[in-house]
């Protein structure tokens, strides 16, 4: 169980350091095109590999360019992590695009459209936010 806590601590440290590098360290113009944020970090149990999930705000082209910039900076990121975290062996860094926020936003938009259509038809009394009063 102690091994699991160590992996979690390493993942949290990597997430903090990567976020700092996104603000001040990585100078690639492709990365700074879109607003890039770290959403999750998964570290393998043997601490040899690290998947970093990032969310990029912008068009699909901007997202692809930012991800390409991050992948090209992976060697620099690994070196900085090695220097900052003082680990015996620094994990290999792999960047992945996280589309979870994008999907969540589109689902919320669809739900809002559905609610608006129901209110226009008069199916829901305005301001109640309840679908059916008979259920209570």
């Amino acid at each position: 169980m102690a091994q699991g806590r160590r992996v979690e601590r390493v993942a949290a440290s990597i997430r903090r350091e990567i976020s700092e590098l996104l603000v001040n360290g990585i100078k690639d113009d492709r990365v700074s095109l879109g607003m890039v944020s770290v959403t999750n970090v998964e570290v393998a149990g043997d601490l040899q590999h690290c998947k970093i999930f990032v969310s990029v705000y912008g068009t699909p082209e901007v997202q692809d360019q930012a991800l390409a910039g991050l992948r090209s900076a992976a060697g620099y990121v690994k070196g900085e992590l090695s220097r900052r975290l003082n680990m015996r062996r620094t994990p290999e860094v792999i960047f992945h695009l996280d589309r979870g926020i994008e999907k969540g936003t589109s689902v919320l938009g669809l739900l809002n459209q559905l609610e608006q259509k129901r209110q226009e038809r008069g199916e829901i009394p305005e301001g109640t936010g309840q679908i059916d009063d008979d259920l209570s």
Side-chain angles (χ1 to χ4, degrees):
M1 194 63 160
Q3 183 69 18
R5 281 185 260 152
R6 179 160 191 251
V7 170
E8 289 175 15
R9 281 196 331 263
V10 169
S13 297
I14 289 174
R15 182 176 180 168
R16 183 180 58 247
E17 295 301 332
I18 294 293
S19 297
E20 173 67 27
L21 285 172
L22 286 173
V23 173
N24 296 323
I26 299 174
K27 303 294 186 208
D28 194 327
D29 290 336
R30 296 176 290 180
V31 175
S32 60
L33 284 176
M35 188 173 73
V36 180
S37 60
V38 179
T39 58
N40 193 17
V41 174
E42 292 179 1
V43 178
D46 61 358
L47 302 177
Q48 298 298 311
H49 300 285
C50 171
K51 292 181 184 177
I52 301 170
F53 295 90
V54 294
S55 175
V56 181
Y57 182 77
T59 64
E61 293 82 23
V62 169
Q63 291 175 349
D64 291 340
Q65 288 179 359
L67 191 59
L70 287 170
R71 287 180 175 159
S72 71
Y76 168 75
V77 169
K78 181 180 177 183
E80 283 296 308
L81 287 176
S82 175
R83 188 178 62 80
R84 293 176 181 207
L85 297 179
N86 294 323
M87 294 177 63
R88 185 179 309 164
R89 185 162 179 174
T90 307
E92 292 296 321
V93 176
I94 303 165
F95 288 98
H96 293 281
L97 188 60
D98 186 1
R99 298 191 187 274
I101 294 173
E102 208 175 295
K103 290 178 183 177
T105 303
S106 68
V107 168
L108 285 175
L110 291 173
L111 289 173
N112 287 336
Q113 288 177 1
L114 180 62
E115 181 181 352
Q116 186 178 21
K117 287 180 182 179
R118 284 183 175 171
Q119 285 181 354
E120 288 172 0
R121 287 189 225 147
E123 293 178 9
I124 300 174
E126 281 195 44
T128 63
Q130 296 179 352
I131 296 174
D132 192 5
D133 290 330
D134 296 337
L135 295 176
S136 49

